[in-house]
Amino acid sequence: TDVVERERENIVSEFSKFPNGMSTLQFKEFSTTVLTLPSYFACHLFSRIDSENSGSVKLQPMLAFWETMLKKKSPAERFFNVIRNEAHQYIEHNDLLPFMKEVLQTHPGLEFLKATPEFQERYAETVIVRIFYTINTAGNGHLTLREIEASNFVDIFLLVDSEKDINKITQYFSYEHFYVLYCKFWELDTDHDFYIDKEDLLRYANYSLT
């Protein structure tokens, strides 16, 4: 189709400016403008395509990846293929960690967390758990393409790239929501082993669950 051919031409045209390949920074600009992916997908995608760790992405490996993973694919399929392990037809919790790390490093609304690595880790875990709790309707820890297509996953991930106030992204990413959840978890987890057992849970809301 014209759209597919145009995208291929744009890829070739952009790479013609960098005969020795694109650096990480150059590739980040390319992946957002030409591939229409969030900026925080760029580092992970760069590493996948630069499988030999040469420090640059060249045209032919990029085209090979585009042919298999991006060509004629919907936005949901593109996200799914970039995030998932190539050996799997689903997304696991750990597959999202590289993207969360990049969000934490680059999002202006999370700048203050850079001084507290422990909170960065807890925030990332909480966001991922919220995503799976909402979208993974099968509850098996394997996010499928069908589940992503039936959700707002793509829209929210794109919003993270454009919205500077992370707390306005109330689904999954809000730091304020995370902090409320974290404080309640800490309150219930009296031995602070980061696990809530039956006895911990019974204390919730003054034993209202009993």
Side-chain angles (χ1 to χ4, degrees):
T1 66
D2 289 345
V3 173
V4 173
E5 279 307 308
R6 198 177 307 121
E7 184 172 58
R8 191 185 191 284
E9 287 169 6
N10 286 341
I11 291 170
V12 173
S13 172
E14 286 301 309
F15 271 86
S16 69
K17 301 172 187 175
F18 307 99
N20 296 319
M22 289 187 185
S23 67
T24 311
L25 196 61
Q26 291 158 348
F27 186 79
K28 188 173 187 177
E29 176 71 17
F30 161 81
S31 66
T32 54
T33 54
V34 178
L35 304 180
T36 61
L37 292 168
S39 62
Y40 51 90
F41 277 36
C43 284
H44 180 71
L45 184 55
F46 184 96
S47 299
R48 278 185 68 176
I49 299 172
D50 180 28
S51 55
E52 297 178 357
N53 297 316
S54 66
S56 66
V57 166
K58 296 181 173 61
L59 175 61
Q60 290 311 314
M62 179 64 242
L63 284 176
F65 184 88
W66 177 78
E67 287 280 350
T68 23
M69 297 295 189
L70 304 177
K71 183 181 177 182
K72 296 182 180 179
K73 299 290 191 290
S74 69
E77 288 176 297
R78 287 184 170 217
F79 273 52
F80 182 72
N81 287 339
V82 171
I83 295 170
R84 70 179 172 88
N85 184 312
E86 283 190 61
H88 300 150
Q89 285 300 319
Y90 52 81
I91 293 171
E92 295 181 300
H93 285 68
N94 286 345
D95 294 333
L96 287 170
L97 284 173
F99 305 97
M100 286 307 306
K101 182 179 178 182
E102 195 64 19
V103 169
L104 281 159
Q105 289 300 312
T106 60
H107 198 284
L110 296 168
E111 180 80 24
F112 67 98
L113 272 182
K114 288 183 178 178
T116 53
E118 183 185 332
F119 264 82
Q120 285 188 328
E121 187 180 333
R122 302 297 169 224
Y123 172 80
E125 288 173 353
T126 304
V127 170
I128 292 169
V129 167
R130 290 183 73 188
I131 288 169
F132 272 79
Y133 181 80
T134 306
I135 299 174
N136 182 213
T137 51
N140 58 3
H142 291 169
L143 262 184
T144 64
L145 176 59
R146 181 174 292 182
E147 287 172 328
I148 287 174
E149 287 175 331
S151 74
N152 59 2
F153 184 87
V154 172
D155 292 338
I156 297 297
F157 266 62
L158 288 169
L159 184 59
V160 172
D161 224 14
S162 60
E163 176 54 66
K164 288 183 170 57
D165 185 351
I166 201 75
N167 292 315
K168 287 184 178 178
I169 310 171
T170 54
Q171 290 183 289
Y172 320 132
F173 286 91
S174 166
Y175 180 81
E176 289 176 349
H177 287 191
F178 153 72
Y179 193 71
V180 170
L181 288 167
Y182 182 83
C183 288
K184 178 54 68 176
F185 186 97
W186 189 255
E187 179 186 323
L188 292 172
D189 181 28
T190 50
D191 58 3
H192 303 316
D193 62 352
F194 291 103
Y195 289 96
I196 292 180
D197 58 25
K198 182 181 176 182
E199 293 304 314
D200 290 331
L201 194 57
L202 285 173
R203 284 189 288 273
Y204 178 75
N206 294 319
Y207 295 88
S208 62
L209 297 179
T210 57

